[in-house]
Amino acid sequence: MKIQEFDYSVDLLKAILWQYNDAARLQSLLEQKAAWYAENQTQFWTNWYNNVFNLETADQFGLTVWSIILNIPIIVVTEPPDPDKVGLFFGDLHANFTHGNFAPAGGGSIVLQVEEARLVLRMRYFQITTRGAVPEINAFFAHLFADLGPVYVEDNLDMTATYVFGYQPSSAFVFVLNKYDILPRPAGVAVDYVIL
């Protein structure tokens, strides 16, 4: 993702007319105002770019904004288990502990860590902005997962593709992979993944 560099500085002294060059009080006021802008306004926009706008460096707030924009939650709510489909029973009545399968009866939530959320959101951004060619995906994943381990996609030549993870991703990341369609692919191609 290539983002244009912005210059956030504001030079208020350019706005002064030549006829006011000798006005010491006006010069002083404008210099003070320029110093305030340099300290506050420039720093604000620099922080906004780093913490919100740039998906590679966004903090928790910025990732929350991106999750709304990209329609991928970074806090995933899990459904409570269906008591009719529980497969482990005890006793004559085939009842188990509070009709749950050793899981919270009310469901729960999985919170992605900041780095995991960045990975998921960058994968989603790439998914909606790419055509899904295998060389393009492999080049992006080589960059995206460079610090974690090899990740690549193989074209099975039958309208399916297999993603190969050469490292052990976290359980939260695997849960998101299973719940949401975030792996980039061409239209009409089914995807699967394996973890080596």
Side-chain angles (χ1 to χ4, degrees), residues 28-54:
S28 174
L29 285 173
L30 285 175
E31 287 171 1
Q32 291 173 14
K33 190 73 167 174
W36 184 89
Y37 266 94
E39 181 179 337
N40 296 301
Q41 190 260 4
T42 304
Q43 188 61 43
F44 170 80
W45 287 112
T46 302
N47 290 342
W48 177 263
Y49 174 80
N50 291 330
N51 297 334
V52 177
F53 190 72
N54 188 355

Side-chain angles (χ1 to χ4, degrees), residues 134 154-162 189:
V134 171
E154 294 176 341
D155 186 356
N156 298 327
L157 303 175
D158 61 353
M159 294 301 289
T160 64
T162 303
V189 173

Side-chain angles (χ1 to χ4, degrees), residues 41-164:
Q41 190 260 4
T42 304
Q43 188 61 43
F44 170 80
W45 287 112
T46 302
N47 290 342
W48 177 263
Y49 174 80
N50 291 330
N51 297 334
V52 177
F53 190 72
N54 188 355
L55 192 51
E56 294 179 9
T57 61
D59 60 9
Q60 188 68 38
F61 172 76
L63 293 174
T64 303
V65 171
W66 276 104
S67 74
I68 293 168
I69 293 169
L70 297 174
N71 198 23
I72 292 290
I74 57 176
I75 299 175
V76 181
V77 178
T78 60
E79 299 295 324
D82 186 2
D84 297 330
K85 295 184 180 178
V86 175
L88 183 63
F89 299 102
F90 295 104
D92 295 335
L93 301 175
H94 299 289
N96 56 6
F97 302 106
T98 66
H99 299 290
N101 197 11
F102 300 108
S109 61
I110 295 175
V111 180
L112 294 175
Q113 300 299 320
V114 172
E115 290 302 320
E116 294 169 337
R118 275 194 196 118
L119 281 176
V120 167
L121 293 172
R122 289 176 69 191
M123 285 173 61
R124 172 67 176 153
Y125 178 82
F126 181 74
Q127 179 192 36
I128 62 177
T129 59
T130 185
R131 62 190 176 104
V134 171
E136 192 175 40
I137 293 172
N138 284 335
F140 174 72
F141 273 30
H143 169 71
L144 183 63
F145 292 97
D147 296 336
L148 299 173
V151 178
Y152 57 92
V153 64
E154 294 176 341
D155 186 356
N156 298 327
L157 303 175
D158 61 353
M159 294 301 289
T160 64
T162 303
Y163 281 87
V164 178

